[in-house]
Each structure stands twice: as C-alpha cells, then as structure tokens.
Amino acid sequence: MEKNQECMYCMEDERRDNLMIEICELGVSTVFLFKEQTYKGRCNVVYRDHVKELFHLTADELSAFMNDVAQVAEAVDKAFGPDKINYGAYGDKLHHLHMHIVPKYDGQADFGSTFQMNPGQAYLADEEYQELIGKIKAHLQ
Ligand SMILES: [Zn+2]
C-alpha cells in the first residue's frame, strides 16, 4: 500500500517520535508508548497501512488488527493493573488507522470520563520509559 507523504506514521518521522517511543511490532501493527504518561502505561497501536476507517479493512485484516489491540490492552492491564482500559480511534486530521490504549485508574485523572488527547503534564526520564516498555513487553508474546 502507498505511503502518504504527509502522514507521520507512514513517514516514520520526528513528529511521531516526539510523541511516542516504539515498543515492538505485532501481527499487523506497531505498538508505541506515549511519552505523555498522565495515564500510566498509555500506548498506541498503529495499523501497518495508511487506512482511514475500520470498515476499509477486510474481515481478516480487521480481525488481525483487533487482535493486536486486545493483546496490547491485556499486556497493559497485567503490567499496571488499571481499573479500566479505554480505547480511542479519532484521527480527524490524520487518516492513518491507530488505536489509543489508555489505562484509567479509579480516583485518578479523568476516571469516569473521556481521556484527554494530550494533557501535556507527565513526562518521564528515558530510563523510566524503558522500565514501562519492559513491563509491557513482558506481557506481549
Ligand atoms: Zn499513514
């Protein structure tokens, strides 16, 4: 599939890398840890191709993508023990299918409501990011 020259996911450029750190590749996607960590363990599952909507995938592709999403959610759940995982696919201005995996904790930020796209508050040191990534990876096969 053709890459979109304006898309940070297709181009794998610094716009993407300013926001997130690659964790690993899964079946049909790449998993990233968000640098903004208000919601501890927040990840992003990015589909391999520049696809706008879920319904543009074939049934097999959709199933494979949702399997990746579920795997990451389970890994985040096991690693950090949130009270709920939120799933978000927006992309109004960026038509490259990706799913936000946002762990929510009772009594903490925005529990019982929608997560903020970028609270811009919680940034960590490099070794702290690597520690989170290690914990998530430990639960991904
Ligand atoms: Zn793209």
Side-chain angles (χ1 to χ4, degrees), residues 3-4 7-11 49-51 94-97:
K3 291 185 185 300
N4 180 299
C7 173
M8 68 176 183
Y9 292 121
C10 287
M11 302 318 289
D49 294 321
H50 194 82
V51 170
L94 177 56
H95 298 164
H96 189 125
L97 182 58

Side-chain angles (χ1 to χ4, degrees), residues 74-89:
E74 186 174 13
V76 167
D77 188 70
K78 284 179 173 164
F80 307 112
D83 293 288
K84 180 70 180 80
I85 307 276
N86 288 179
Y87 306 85

Side-chain angles (χ1 to χ4, degrees), residues 34-45:
F34 265 93
K35 289 186 178 174
E36 210 296 325
Q37 280 288 311
T38 290
Y39 315 100
K40 186 179 181 182
R42 181 178 178 177
C43 290
N44 189 10
V45 183

Side-chain angles (χ1 to χ4, degrees), residues 24-114:
C24 65
E25 295 194 341
L26 291 178
V28 292
S29 53
T30 306
V31 188
F32 296 87
L33 182 78
F34 265 93
K35 289 186 178 174
E36 210 296 325
Q37 280 288 311
T38 290
Y39 315 100
K40 186 179 181 182
R42 181 178 178 177
C43 290
N44 189 10
V45 183
V46 180
Y47 190 66
R48 63 184 174 191
D49 294 321
H50 194 82
V51 170
K52 184 177 173 186
E53 305 289 357
L54 286 169
F55 56 78
H56 292 147
L57 300 177
T58 66
D60 284 348
E61 289 166 344
L62 180 61
S63 172
F65 181 58
M66 282 303 159
N67 188 53
D68 288 354
V69 166
Q71 247 190 78
V72 174
E74 186 174 13
V76 167
D77 188 70
K78 284 179 173 164
F80 307 112
D83 293 288
K84 180 70 180 80
I85 307 276
N86 288 179
Y87 306 85
Y90 299 92
D92 291 350
K93 297 176 180 175
L94 177 56
H95 298 164
H96 189 125
L97 182 58
H98 62 284
M99 187 80 72
H100 297 270
I101 307 292
V102 186
K104 301 281 282 294
Y105 302 87
D106 197 355
Q108 294 184 32
D110 304 309
F111 192 79
S113 184
T114 48

Side-chain angles (χ1 to χ4, degrees), residues 118-131:
N118 188 354
Q121 288 184 359
Y123 295 95
L124 309 178
D126 286 344
E127 59 268 26
E128 294 173 305
Y129 288 127
Q130 289 311 316
E131 192 185 328

